[in-house]
């Protein structure tokens, strides 16, 4: 099997597509982020990478707090809209008809239409170059009741989707189950 | 729409499933990681979160270098195997029949069967609690020639898959394209 070297590329698959939210000068704003992941188990933490010039980043700095909202395939247009427009020029909440609510933390806006909402407190901010890399402690998790089964989050109801980078530049839903985690590999033992 | 509060949860969808590799005492070892993401655009960086007790972490500390290998659905069993076994007790490379190669960095083992391989140099290590959070600079990218179209990575050929956390605990392939990124949202403008 031969390989081609492409130089340093930001190539991990699949990436999520989430909405990161913050109050900017007191007004809720949301942006689309694919560069987001879990950072720690206990205490629960996550990370987001945001370009320095983004409006939402200003709000995160003001409050040292932010939200991560997992959208469903039902609002893929709204999710993309929050990535292609600027909060300094457009009221994204109004255009997207987002119902904004607040949970445990008073300055962290959450999107009701997103099945999963995480409230986060900033723990670390690292300037890595083009992006500010933010590690947040997850303070509370909200899940839409319609996306729970026996009181637990049900991915088949949440219907999250993936961002696939260039050259594809698509959003893709989740496909078939191909194996049980912590299970299918045991066949090789 | 009503919401249920679940307390702090590490709930982001979808997460990737990748193989993180390092030489431990000179021998290549790989572990499965879902908590992995892109951290910066220029210079290209990524992050991985690894439990302190993992064998692979020892190798990363020894070399201050590691690899991220994106597996395809063809090797979902091998990928899971690297998550449920310990490198200190099992030769995972042998059991999985991985063909290991080295690229630009002499101490970073790469898996030939994974369509995408990233060589990384450690830039930051943060002890966040249960996990060591590592930010690496991507030094080189290798893509299998069979997964390129017009010289560029083709996700339909790469066939990556997602790790879906509890209670599902499944690996899922990518599904249908549901919209063009930086495109479908413009309809709302």
């Amino acid at each position: 099997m031969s390989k081609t070297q492409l130089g340093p590329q930001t190539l991990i698959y699949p990436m999520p597509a989430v909405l990161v939210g913050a109050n900017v000068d007191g007004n809720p704003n949301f942006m689309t982020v694919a560069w987001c992941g879990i950072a720690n188990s206990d205490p629960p933490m996550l990370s987001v990478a945001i370009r320095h010039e983004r409006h939402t980043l200003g709000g995160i700095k003001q409050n040292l707090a932010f939200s991560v909202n997992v959208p469903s395939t039902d609002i893929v247009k709204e999710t993309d809209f929050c990535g292609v427009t600027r909060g300094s020029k457009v009221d994204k909440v109004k255009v997207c008809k987002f119902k904004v609510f607040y949970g445990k933390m008073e300055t962290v806006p959450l999107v009701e239409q997103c099945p999963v909402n995480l409230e986060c407190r900033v723990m670390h901010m690292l300037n890595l170059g083009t992006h500010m890399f933010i590690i947040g402690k997850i303070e509370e998790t909200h899940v839409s009741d319609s996306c729970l089964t026996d009181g637990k989050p049900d991915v088949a109801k949440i219907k999250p989707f993936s961002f696939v980078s260039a050259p594809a530049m698509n959003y893709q839903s989740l496909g078939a189950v191909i194996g049980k985690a912590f299970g299918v590999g045991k066949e090789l033992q």
Side-chain angles (χ1 to χ4, degrees), chain A:
Chain A
M1 188 191 295
S2 63
K3 298 269 184 178
T4 294
Q5 288 69 48
L6 300 179
Q9 300 279 333
T10 53
L11 274 192
I12 298 176
Y13 304 92
M15 291 283 89
V18 300
L19 290 170
V20 171
N23 275 358
V24 186
D25 302 327
N27 299 312
N29 190 57
F30 298 91
M31 66 174 286
T32 317
V33 167
W35 295 359
C36 176
I38 300 297
N40 196 57
S41 177
D42 188 15
M45 295 190 196
L46 55 72
S47 67
V48 294
I50 301 180
R51 279 191 182 273
H52 293 291
E53 59 270 29
R54 298 302 296 249
H55 194 60
T56 305
L57 182 57
I60 295 175
K61 289 177 184 171
Q62 285 171 9
N63 301 289
L64 292 178
F66 62 100
S67 67
V68 170
N69 304 269
V70 179
S72 75
T73 53
D74 299 332
I75 56 168
V76 63
K77 284 183 190 175
E78 288 78 1
T79 303
D80 191 57
F81 181 81
C82 291
V84 297
T85 49
R86 292 180 176 206
S88 57
K89 296 187 177 174
V90 178
D91 183 344
K92 301 187 194 179
V93 170
K94 192 176 172 186
V95 174
C96 294
K97 295 175 183 155
F98 285 152
K99 291 181 188 173
V100 175
F101 72 106
Y102 293 82
K104 199 171 171 181
M105 299 169 78
E106 291 176 4
T107 59
V108 175
L110 305 161
V111 177
E112 195 174 294
Q113 289 98 326
C114 289
V116 178
N117 318 95
L118 304 172
E119 296 181 59
C120 304
R121 189 181 305 281
V122 172
M123 300 302 282
H124 302 278
M125 297 185 92
L126 287 86
N127 181 351
L128 296 181
T130 48
H131 287 66
M132 185 67 89
F133 192 65
I134 302 167
I135 298 172
K137 185 163 167 282
I138 302 166
E139 297 283 353
E140 183 59 281
T141 307
H142 307 260
V143 179
S144 301
D145 288 342
S146 59
C147 295
L148 295 170
T149 296
D150 298 331
K152 291 181 178 170
D154 187 333
V155 70
K157 297 176 178 174
I158 292 167
K159 295 184 292 176
F161 55 92
S162 178
F163 166 73
V164 179
S165 53
M169 283 302 225
N170 282 327
Y171 299 111
Q172 287 188 235
S173 62
L174 281 185
V177 172
I178 58 164
K180 199 76 194 160
F182 304 96
V184 72
K186 291 178 183 168
E187 293 176 29
L188 297 179
Q189 272 174 323

